[in-house]
Amino acid sequence: MTRALILGGTSDASVLAAAIARASIDAVYSYGGRTRAPADQPLPTRIGGFGGASGLADYIRREGITHVIDATHPFAAEMSRNAVEACTETGTPLIALERAPWIKASADNWIEVVNVDAAVAALPDAPANVFLAIGRQHIAPFAAKSQHSYTLRFVDPPEAPLPFAADVIVSRGPFTLDGELEMLRTRGIAWIVARNSGGDGARAKIDAARLLGLPVIMISRPELPVRLRVESVGEVVQWLGHRICLGA
Ligand code: 3Y8
Ligand code: NAP
């Protein structure tokens, strides 16, 4: 019998969970516990880390998991690497549901960089209004350019003092084009720093930047190990269904 583990935390993972619940496939949804009140899911849900790849392997064995679906965010690299290692160790089928990266349009003004430190270096020296749309966990390096007026956007209100003076918007998204245009205009934002998350939930700021002619410092995705990868929920459900068909 199939028992799937969904490594979630994204809007795509939520759509997948709904499809799996509708198909009455036995599954568990997993959050990393990054936010105070993650969205409810129509499946039994666990919250928190597994304890590295070995902890995930133990969980797979203990819970009788037969399939693992990595539907985490493209920047959740450690979780994805652990999933490959644990599934190899336990011989568990693994599939990744991963949305395509955003592709630079001719009208986009992107400065593409490989990591956060390169994004800091790409910012100008002259003080400017800068929108850091990269969440909470990776903002400390921007203290090196504290001459800028920063706007941050977090899912939850900040719990600790910020590494530099900044204005924090608390919002979990998904975001709208009108909302992004309004925010960028009223704050006089001149630069945006973003990660190439892909998908629709965060692309409104990219479209707004294009319309306003703003430069975007775009951080490219981390390298991930090779694993079976699809871009649609239907392909994941078919993958499960195919095995159900064979194993039934
Ligand atoms: C805990 C689950 C839904 C899902 C919403 C998507 C869309 C909005 C875009 C900006 C960029 C950012 C951030 C972002 C997006 C969706 C989706 C997506 C980016 C939730 C969620 C969890 C998280 C974790 C959180 C990170 C943070 C990153 C904010 C839930 C809302 C910036 C990524 O405070 C923290 O520690 C936050 C941590 C990882 C990156 C960071 O380093 O701060 N996501 N985001 C998941 C878990 O615990 O397992 O709370 O319900 C999910 C969503 N985040 O409901 O439709 O892409 O699917 N999330 C980035 O750089 O793109 C926001 O502001 O423009
Ligand atoms: P990460 O750096 O790749 O993972 C760090 C550790 O967090 C993992 O090793 C694991 O801990 C735990 N973890 C992460 N995701 C988990 C999950 N779904 N279930 C159980 N444990 C999980 O992860 P991250 O970038 O902080 O992302 C955390 C969560 O936020 C993920 O669910 C991701 O999909 C979601 N998210 C992330 C981003 C982003 O920009 N990174 C954007 C949107 C949503 P152990 O080693 O102890 O097992």
Side-chain angles (χ1 to χ4, degrees):
M1 268 307 279
T2 293
R3 181 158 163 71
L5 169 64
I6 300 172
L7 301 174
T10 60
S11 40
D12 297 343
S14 297
V15 174
L16 173 66
I20 284 187
R22 273 198 305 278
S24 303
I25 297 171
D26 182 11
V28 179
Y29 190 98
S30 180
Y31 279 117
R34 282 278 178 288
T35 54
R36 286 185 189 170
D40 290 334
Q41 296 297 339
L43 294 171
T45 299
R46 64 170 300 289
I47 299 179
F50 296 97
S54 60
L56 176 53
D58 292 344
Y59 179 87
I60 289 170
R61 293 187 189 99
R62 190 170 64 246
E63 293 293 326
I65 300 297
T66 60
H67 298 74
V68 174
I69 302 152
D70 178 357
T72 61
H73 191 272
F75 281 79
E78 192 179 345
M79 185 70 260
S80 294
R81 291 187 189 112
N82 289 353
V84 170
E85 191 177 329
C87 289
T88 303
E89 179 185 326
T90 57
T92 309
L94 167 68
I95 195 168
L97 173 61
E98 186 181 272
R99 59 271 183 109
W102 297 315
I103 305 296
K104 180 182 171 305
S106 55
D108 285 328
N109 173 6
W110 289 4
I111 297 100
E112 299 188 73
V113 296
V114 294
N115 57 32
V116 172
D117 291 335
V120 176
L123 278 174
D125 291 330
N129 294 335
V130 178
F131 173 39
L132 296 187
I134 55 170
R136 177 187 61 85
Q137 299 180 96
H138 304 289
I139 59 171
F142 288 90
K145 289 200 174 174
S146 57
Q147 69 269 35
H148 299 306
S149 298
Y150 287 108
T151 294
L152 311 179
R153 183 151 64 190
F154 289 1
V155 177
D156 295 316
E159 289 162 347
L162 298 174
F164 46 82
D167 187 32
V168 179
I169 299 170
V170 179
S171 174
R172 70 169 47 233
F175 307 101
T176 64
L177 178 60
D178 288 346
E180 301 291 60
L181 284 169
E182 169 70 17
M183 181 271 290
L184 295 169
R185 282 191 182 116
T186 52
R187 291 168 180 267
I189 298 294
W191 288 81
I192 297 173
V193 180
R195 293 193 281 185
N196 199 325
S197 305
D200 302 328
R203 85 149 297 138
K205 60 182 177 279
I206 307 302
D207 297 335
R210 183 184 317 113
L211 289 172
L212 297 174
L214 297 181
V216 177
I217 297 172
M218 182 66 78
I219 302 170
S220 49
R221 297 177 170 189
E223 285 296 313
L224 293 177
V226 176
R227 74 264 207 247
L228 177 61
R229 173 194 173 279
V230 295
E231 292 185 12
S232 77
V233 166
E235 288 171 285
V236 175
V237 177
Q238 187 180 7
W239 179 74
L240 286 171
H242 174 72
R243 300 237 184 210
I244 292 170
C245 173
L246 285 180

